[in-house]
Amino acid sequence: MLIGHELIVERFRSAIAAGTLAHAYLFIGPKSVGKRTVAEWLLKEVLNTEHLDAHPDMVRVKRTENPKTGRMREQIALEQIQEARRRFDMRAVCGTKKALLIEEADTLSIGAANALLKTLEEPRGDALIILTAKSEAKILPTLLSRVLCVRFRALSLNDVAEALQERGATHEEAEALSALSNGLPGRALALMQDGKRREEMERELRVIHACFSARSSERVLAVHAILPSYDVDHVKTRSQLFERLALFETVAHKHLLAASGCGMSPLLDADAPTMTLFQAGSILRAIQAAKRRLDAHLDPHLTLIHAVLSYTL
């Protein structure tokens, strides 16, 4: 289900026709922007199949649950890459290509990344390897030097809204969901299909608005509501926290656009504070700093308090 990224898709179509596909690509972009969808489309085209994971020449690697704890692993383990390499090294069964897709390659453990490097250093002639990641920051430089990077940007809100209407959404619903998605088609589709999650996000949105209060005390109180309930599965808890920070960032971005004279977004209340470019920019910088600190596993509560106290409105 492709939405947007027409230029990227067209370039791959041309490369397939000309026989000039590279052996390895890294798709970079935010979560839900469409990296995996385009990767799966490309692999289906190359393998000439509609049933990707049932194809004998297709190998997929992603984070899995730890069978001992029943919780999602934080990293792709060395054993997963070793097993993928074993399968990938087999002779192609159905065609001329062997395909390997590694999702969230920025979660590869050091051992897994080094094991994958051996495959990238000596690529087989019929290889097509695609890695996806939110950014290249956590990808080993040795891996980066052996792949072609393809960057995925958020779509315009109009493009997302049009795609939602084509899939049955009303004009008003499409406009609201495209604003919530901030140009990420995967997020928009998920919200369209999951009314409960949409209601949860709208509740989170009301809490996040308090983080834009001129009173620092109200911002600190809002931090408690932004923090997800503790779960023994800390990977799940961190994922929920980053989703709420993404929504916080989306609202800050709308404030920045309003300060730039681009009009008020439906995500902003009628009584939303009027901000200068400097104020909106400082909030975005604070959110980015908070994400880096959380990535370093610093205390979420103290990190968010520090973030909301670091800007003045």
Side-chain angles (χ1 to χ4, degrees):
M1 186 184 296
L2 292 172
I3 298 178
H5 310 302
E6 289 86 357
L7 287 177
I8 292 174
V9 170
E10 187 54 41
R11 286 171 184 164
F12 278 122
R13 287 191 196 277
S14 299
I16 292 172
T20 57
L21 277 176
H23 78 278
Y25 295 93
L26 172 61
F27 288 5
I28 299 172
K31 181 181 178 181
S32 300
V33 76
K35 306 183 299 296
R36 185 181 64 187
T37 302
V38 174
E40 290 177 345
W41 164 82
L42 176 57
L43 292 169
K44 287 178 180 179
E45 290 288 308
V46 169
L47 296 176
N48 192 28
T49 183
E50 284 299 319
H51 307 287
L52 200 56
D53 288 313
H55 198 286
D57 296 325
M58 169 68 194
V59 182
R60 185 193 297 261
V61 181
K62 58 184 177 180
R63 287 187 301 132
T64 60
E65 284 188 354
N66 186 324
K68 295 181 180 178
T69 64
R71 303 171 193 166
M72 186 65 72
R73 290 187 171 101
E74 285 198 66
Q75 295 183 315
I76 294 172
L78 168 61
E79 294 77 13
Q80 291 179 264
I81 295 298
Q82 289 174 331
E83 172 61 16
R85 289 185 61 206
R86 184 190 67 78
R87 293 176 54 201
F88 191 66
D89 287 342
M90 294 179 180
R91 185 186 300 274
V93 174
C94 295
T96 59
K97 284 287 185 182
K98 288 286 290 189
L100 173 62
L101 173 60
I102 301 179
E103 300 179 28
E104 297 181 292
D106 41 357
T107 66
L108 285 163
S109 68
I110 295 297
N114 284 325
L116 178 62
L117 180 60
K118 296 178 181 178
T119 298
L120 292 173
E121 283 177 334
E122 301 174 1
R124 49 191 293 166
D126 60 351
L128 177 55
I129 303 170
I130 302 178
L131 289 67
T132 70
K134 292 192 291 292
S135 78
E136 62 267 55
K138 294 185 178 180
I139 305 292
L140 288 180
T142 46
L143 288 183
L144 280 176
S145 66
R146 289 165 174 80
V147 297
L148 289 181
C149 293
V150 181
R151 298 186 184 277
F152 287 72
R153 310 293 184 188
L155 308 183
S156 74
L157 300 191
N158 286 338
D159 285 346
V160 174
E162 287 178 10
L164 295 180
Q165 289 182 73
E166 290 172 0
R167 288 158 177 77
T170 65
H171 175 76
E172 293 74 16
E173 182 184 22
E175 291 290 325
L177 290 175
S178 64
L180 273 175
S181 74
N182 204 30
L184 301 177
R187 185 194 293 180
L189 287 172
L191 292 173
M192 179 180 172
Q193 296 162 3
D194 188 344
K196 182 179 179 181
R197 177 61 189 125
R198 180 179 173 182
E199 290 176 3
E200 290 174 355
M201 183 171 279
E202 288 171 344
R203 284 196 296 271
E204 292 164 8
L205 184 62
R206 289 192 289 272
V207 171
I208 284 170
H209 282 308
C211 293
F212 296 85
S213 168
R215 298 180 61 182
S216 56
S217 58
E218 292 182 8
R219 290 184 238 153
V220 172
L221 289 174
V223 164
H224 295 278
I226 291 176
L227 286 170
S229 301
Y230 176 77
D231 192 298
V232 290
D233 185 347
H234 65 278
V235 176
K236 177 182 176 182
T237 302
R238 279 171 52 80
S239 176
Q240 292 174 340
L241 179 55
F242 274 102
E243 286 179 4
R244 292 175 190 183
L245 269 181
L247 185 57
F248 190 178
E249 189 173 32
T250 295
V251 178
H253 183 247
K254 302 310 176 191
H255 277 287
L256 182 68
L257 291 176
S260 303
C262 298
M264 291 288 283
S265 164
L267 285 189
L268 303 183
D269 294 332
D271 58 351
T274 301
M275 295 186 188
T276 64
L277 284 171
F278 176 80
Q279 289 171 327
S282 69
I283 294 174
L284 282 168
R285 288 191 292 273
I287 295 171
Q288 289 296 324
K291 288 165 71 175
R292 289 192 295 271
R293 292 188 177 103
L294 291 172
D295 252 340
H297 296 271
L298 298 186
D299 181 87
H301 190 206
L302 294 178
T303 295
L304 292 178
I305 288 176
H306 179 273
V308 298
L309 289 179
S310 65
Y311 52 83
T312 303
L313 299 178

